[in-house]
């Protein structure tokens, strides 16, 4: 099929494929109960193709009462001219594996203020949230984790951004974060799998592609363990982020972790703790925080504006505003309806 890729096969004695199998099996053991419904987010790319094959392999090796109920979910963004071909590829691949397949078409606003990549991610994750399953498994691996950490640091993120991706986030599971891209490639060679290549991955105008193609090869040449060490650092930042979340809950006291937030709750805190509390509440409502500088400015305006002023700041598709001593969070649609 056009736009499809296959790596040359290698002798199965060269290396085994246990790294992926061990990682996925351990994730299942930690989080998934027998009989629960697990859907793989199948894009058709190498990583998700490998993940689905590993899960199918693990399920086949288990007794029926110990296995999960496996399926695949493909989100058809319609952005690439090859999007229909990817859908066909994923459907055929699942048919060969005898895995139930669902495809959902979404509309991504090309002129979205959050950018095309972020808009596509948002609508994709909305479909994941709506899926009638217990878990969604995504195929991000260790190199993706390292790239995400570096990308977030370069755009000014704080500890939360440095924590990058978690193995478990709600009902999203990412079992391959301990596995490198080279190990995924080895697995698809051993099993002679093919996959679809997204042509946009070659476009270095996208920041992540620039990091992957231009920066990380240079880093790996000088620091061979760069991806592994960055991913390990992300795990440590995730621990720190969990502690900051606990601090935010303590600073809320008996107040609910919801908006509106009484401004007095922030006034009694030091600036870092007030910012941490505001960050925690925004994150709990899935609000994208562009940078720590933007968050700092939001807190300053909320606290320092004159009583007759009503500051409002935009965070992605939400607006943070102050009214009568309270801080409110409103979606754009809700805000527009009030005006």
């Amino acid at each position: 099929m056009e736009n499809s890729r296959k790596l040359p096969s290698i002798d199965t004695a060269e290396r085994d494929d246990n790294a992926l199998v061990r990682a996925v099996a351990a994730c299942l053991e930690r989080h998934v109960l027998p009989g629960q419904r697990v859907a793989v987010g199948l894009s058709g790319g190498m990583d998700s193709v490998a993940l689905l094959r590993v899960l199918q392999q693990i399920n086949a090796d288990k007794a029926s009462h110990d296995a999960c109920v496996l399926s695949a979910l493909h989100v058809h963004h319609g952005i690439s001219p090859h999007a229909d071909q990817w859908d066909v590829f994923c459907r055929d691949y699942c048919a060969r594996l005898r895995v139930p397949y669902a495809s959902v078409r979404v509309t991504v606003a090309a002129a979205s203020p959050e950018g095309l990549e972020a808009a596509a991610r948002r609508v994709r994750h909305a479909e994941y949230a709506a899926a009638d399953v217990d878990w969604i498994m995504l195929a991000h691996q260790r190199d993706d984790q390292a790239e995400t950490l570096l990308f977030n640091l370069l755009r000014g993120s704080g500890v939360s951004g440095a924590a990058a991706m978690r193995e478990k986030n709600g009902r999203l599971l990412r079992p391959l974060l301990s596995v490198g891209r080279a190990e995924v490639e080895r697995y698809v060679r051993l099993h002679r799998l093919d996959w679809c290549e997204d042509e946009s991955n070659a476009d270095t105008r996208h920041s992540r592609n620039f990091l992957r193609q231009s920066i990380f090869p240079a880093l790996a040449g000088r620091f061979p363990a760069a991806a592994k060490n960055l991913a390990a650092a992300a795990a440590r930042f995730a621990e720190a982020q969990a502690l900051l979340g606990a601090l935010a809950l303590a600073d809320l006291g008996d107040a609910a972790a919801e908006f509106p937030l009484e401004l007095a709750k922030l006034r009694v805190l030091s600036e870092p703790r007030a910012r941490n509390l505001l960050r925690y509440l925004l994150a709990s409502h899935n609000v994208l925080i562009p940078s720590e500088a933007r968050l700092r400015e939001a807190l300053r305006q909320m606290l320092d504006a004159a009583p007759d002023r009503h500051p409002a700041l935009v965070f992605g598709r939400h607006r943070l505003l102050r009214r009568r001593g309270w801080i409110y969070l409103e979606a754009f649609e809700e805000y527009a309806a009030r005006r």
Side-chain angles (χ1 to χ4, degrees):
M1 173 185 293
E2 182 185 356
N3 204 230
S4 173
R5 292 281 302 275
K6 181 187 289 287
L7 289 172
S9 62
I10 61 175
D11 187 338
T12 56
E14 181 180 329
R15 291 290 295 270
D16 67 26
D17 60 2
N18 285 342
L20 267 69
V21 176
R22 283 197 303 269
V24 175
C27 182
L28 288 169
E29 181 69 22
R30 282 189 290 270
H31 305 296
V32 181
L33 297 175
Q36 287 192 319
R37 299 162 298 168
V38 177
V40 172
L42 183 64
S43 67
M46 180 195 297
D47 297 334
S48 66
V49 162
L51 174 60
L52 183 61
R53 175 64 177 79
V54 170
L55 277 165
Q56 188 266 351
Q57 175 185 343
I58 291 173
N59 246 14
D61 291 341
K62 287 185 174 182
S64 59
H65 62 275
D66 289 329
C68 65
V69 179
L70 182 61
S71 64
L73 174 62
H74 176 76
V75 179
H76 186 305
H77 298 90
I79 298 173
S80 169
H82 302 290
D84 288 340
Q85 292 174 293
W86 299 341
D87 190 2
V88 171
F89 169 85
C90 290
R91 188 179 302 276
D92 291 346
Y93 180 57
C94 288
R96 293 195 300 274
L97 294 180
R98 297 185 179 180
V99 171
Y101 174 76
S103 175
V104 58
R105 290 176 179 255
V106 297
T107 300
V108 182
S112 171
E114 58 194 319
L116 185 62
E117 287 182 282
R121 182 185 184 278
R122 176 174 51 79
V123 298
R124 182 169 63 253
H125 279 259
E127 294 301 328
Y128 294 157
D132 185 22
V133 294
D134 298 298
W135 302 98
I136 298 286
M137 273 203 178
L138 304 179
H140 299 106
Q141 31 79 359
R142 188 172 63 212
D143 294 69
D144 296 321
Q145 180 80 313
E147 291 161 8
T148 299
L149 167 59
L150 187 56
F151 174 75
N152 286 346
L153 290 176
L154 290 171
R155 61 191 281 271
S157 296
V159 175
S160 178
M165 298 177 284
R166 286 72 160 176
E167 179 184 78
K168 178 182 178 294
N169 185 6
R171 64 175 189 163
L172 295 180
L173 294 176
R174 294 180 171 92
L176 300 183
L177 292 180
S178 63
V179 177
R181 184 171 291 125
E183 292 164 304
V184 177
E185 291 180 352
R186 189 175 302 119
Y187 181 90
V188 300
R189 284 193 182 99
L190 287 170
H191 293 274
R192 297 176 172 84
L193 303 178
D194 56 3
W195 73 95
C196 297
E197 188 71 38
D198 186 343
E199 72 283 352
S200 70
N201 289 338
D203 188 351
T204 54
R205 290 177 298 178
H206 298 303
S207 297
R208 287 179 182 273
N209 293 344
F210 172 72
L211 289 175
R212 182 178 303 128
Q213 296 184 34
S214 301
I215 301 303
F216 270 91
L219 279 176
R222 185 65 178 264
F223 306 100
K228 183 177 180 180
N229 289 340
L230 286 170
R236 292 191 291 272
F237 281 122
E239 291 179 355
Q241 179 61 24
L243 294 174
L244 290 173
L247 177 62
L249 289 174
D251 286 338
L252 277 169
D254 57 359
E258 294 288 344
F259 287 102
L261 171 68
E262 190 175 10
L263 198 61
K265 286 286 185 184
L266 297 177
R267 290 198 185 281
V268 298
L269 299 175
S270 66
E271 193 274 343
R273 287 177 70 160
R275 188 158 28 93
N276 177 62
L277 176 53
L278 187 56
R279 184 193 306 110
Y280 176 84
L281 290 177
L282 289 171
S284 69
H285 287 75
N286 298 314
V287 176
L288 178 64
I289 302 172
S291 67
E292 282 297 300
R294 182 69 169 162
L295 184 64
R296 195 184 300 272
E297 175 62 17
L299 179 64
R300 186 193 68 77
Q301 291 196 30
M302 294 297 133
L303 292 175
D304 296 347
D308 60 339
R309 307 296 295 175
H310 304 286
L313 291 95
V314 174
F315 287 84
R317 296 173 60 84
H318 292 79
R319 189 180 299 263
L320 195 69
L321 60 157
R322 192 189 78 178
R323 290 198 300 265
R324 301 182 186 90
W326 292 79
I327 299 176
Y328 292 81
L329 180 71
E330 296 181 346
F332 271 140
E333 294 82 359
E334 177 184 352
Y335 180 82
R338 295 172 60 92
R339 292 181 65 85

